[in-house]
Amino acid sequence: MIVCHCNTISDHEIRAAVDWMRAADPATLITPGKVYRALGKRPDCGGCLPLFLDTMRGCDSLGVPMQLRGLRRAATQGKNHEGRHESHRISQ
């Protein structure tokens, strides 16, 4: 099935690119931009992006590498104020 009509990219090409990137570097984060670059193309109108992302999500090898999971949670653990000083606003 053609996912990107502007560049004639099929779902098979997207899956193959994701699998190739995961095999080449198991620790990489795979983004739509990286998939386009791996296929030697550039996004044009962006109308395909929702279907492009759905196709990427359907790939078994897309997941976030284990060493990168939970980083956001660990960095903000124990903080309830988004890193701002408590006196960031003037009393009214």
Side-chain angles (χ1 to χ4, degrees), residues 11-70:
D11 59 334
H12 299 292
E13 291 174 311
I14 294 170
R15 287 188 187 100
V18 169
D19 291 341
W20 174 77
M21 285 189 281
R22 181 60 65 215
D25 184 5
T28 192
L29 288 175
I30 300 172
T31 64
K34 288 182 180 181
V35 173
Y36 270 104
R37 274 180 254 138
L39 296 172
K41 308 206 176 177
R42 292 174 37 173
D44 190 17
C45 72
C48 65
L49 203 53
L51 184 56
F52 201 95
L53 289 169
D54 286 343
T55 304
M56 286 178 61
R57 285 185 197 114
C59 297
D60 293 333
S61 59
L62 181 66
V64 176
M66 191 57 91
Q67 65 269 26
L68 298 178
R69 292 182 187 178

